[in-house]
Amino acid sequence: MINAAMYTWVPTVERFLSSWALYITERSPDKSHTLPDGYSRADLASHCNELKGHLERVQRTEVELGEVRACRIGAKKLLRDWIKAYNLYCKTISPEQGRAKVLMRTPLVGTGAYHFGQSTGVVQANWERLNAERLDASLEPVIIAGVVTVGDFKAKNEEWQSLETRVIVAERARRSAYTAAAGLVKQSIYPRLLAYRRMVASQFQADHSVMLSLPRLHPVTVKDKKAAKQKAVSAVLNADHASS
């Protein structure tokens, strides 16, 4: 699952970069400006750019995924309509006009790929057998909705199957990019932000400008804001209750 809070890490890191720049300015030139493990502000800036790249990949694949899913739904709707029309056609013809007819239950658009593919596969195979039988009887091949042939159905079925594959590929690409971003934050960025806060706190007084520039370590989420608002309301209510 893609957690939207991941996108708040970029501005968080950028605020830490600003604080670190101030730290370097305030620190004596002969003093170290890196973390105990040698990690520097330049390293954090590099990781920030890497994080942006991963998240941009997530966004690109999100857009692509939306477009491909929309096309897939369109293809499935059309195939579903054609299966309906094929069933109706089969109900109207006599045994002399085609004994190979088989009515197939029309699948829902939301049906999974496996079962939807079973339905379209059966209809296509039956349609082809029915056409062959009618050809032997010197009859015209089956055409539904006035213009749709079995070739059209087959082409649309292959298009839908291709779209299913593209959806899977796009979902994997999105998951891969997100996993890379989450791993970078967990393994490289978050521990260094925590170490930076500890380093600054050990070197400056609480009222120093560098201390005051320290950003919040965890990004502020909508849930955080709601919790803070609720806490503030509770404080006011408790104060009113105490004074009454």
Side-chain angles (χ1 to χ4, degrees):
M1 182 178 178
I2 305 301
N3 189 343
M6 181 59 63
Y7 290 96
T8 64
W9 275 105
V10 170
T12 296
V13 174
E14 289 176 337
R15 286 191 286 272
F16 268 90
L17 286 170
S18 297
S19 175
W20 205 327
L22 179 61
Y23 170 81
I24 293 173
T25 301
E26 295 295 322
R27 188 83 163 144
S28 300
D30 58 332
K31 300 289 186 179
S32 172
H33 300 149
T34 64
L35 299 180
D37 64 354
Y39 189 87
S40 67
R41 181 181 181 277
D43 294 326
L44 181 60
S46 177
H47 277 148
C48 185
N49 289 331
E50 186 178 348
L51 178 61
K52 288 178 182 177
H54 292 319
L55 294 178
E56 285 171 0
R57 279 177 54 211
V58 172
Q59 290 177 319
R60 284 198 304 270
T61 52
E62 282 279 10
V63 172
E64 179 185 353
L65 195 52
E67 293 173 349
V68 177
R69 280 174 173 167
C71 292
R72 179 183 63 175
I73 290 174
K76 291 179 79 172
K77 284 182 177 179
L78 190 55
L79 285 168
R80 186 173 185 273
D81 290 343
W82 285 354
I83 291 175
K84 278 185 179 179
Y86 178 77
N87 286 340
L88 289 173
Y89 179 88
C90 288
K91 289 178 181 179
T92 65
I93 61 177
S94 64
E96 292 73 22
Q97 294 173 314
R99 296 182 182 277
K101 64 179 183 178
V102 175
L103 299 182
M104 188 66 201
R105 184 175 181 179
T106 306
L108 299 174
V109 173
T111 302
Y114 176 76
H115 293 292
F116 194 90
Q118 280 188 322
S119 297
T120 58
V122 168
V123 170
Q124 181 180 313
N126 181 243
W127 195 338
E128 290 171 341
R129 286 195 301 270
L130 185 56
N131 277 354
E133 188 179 283
R134 288 171 64 83
L135 181 62
D136 292 340
S138 299
L139 297 173
E140 293 293 323
V142 175
I143 296 178
I144 61 173
V147 293
V148 180
T149 67
V150 68
D152 296 325
F153 187 91
K154 181 180 180 180
K156 184 57 66 173
N157 194 28
E158 290 173 349
E159 178 187 332
W160 160 70
Q161 291 172 342
S162 175
L163 289 167
E164 285 287 353
T165 300
R166 288 178 60 191
V167 167
I168 293 172
V169 170
E171 286 176 339
R172 286 176 179 170
R174 179 186 62 171
R175 186 164 54 250
S176 173
Y178 179 81
T179 300
L184 181 63
V185 169
K186 181 179 180 180
Q187 298 170 14
S188 299
I189 293 178
Y190 178 81
R192 269 48 181 269
L193 300 187
L194 183 61
Y196 171 75
R197 286 181 60 90
R198 289 172 176 168
M199 180 179 71
V200 170
S202 69
Q203 296 174 8
F204 295 95
Q205 296 296 322
D207 59 349
H208 194 281
S209 59
V210 178
M211 283 292 292
L212 297 176
S213 75
L214 282 177
R216 178 187 172 96
L217 183 56
H218 295 278
V220 178
T221 64
V222 173
K223 184 178 180 180
D224 293 330
K225 292 179 179 178
K226 287 183 178 179
K229 183 177 180 180
Q230 186 175 5
K231 184 177 181 181
V233 171
S234 298
V236 171
L237 292 176
N238 291 336
D240 292 342
H241 180 72
S243 61
S244 61

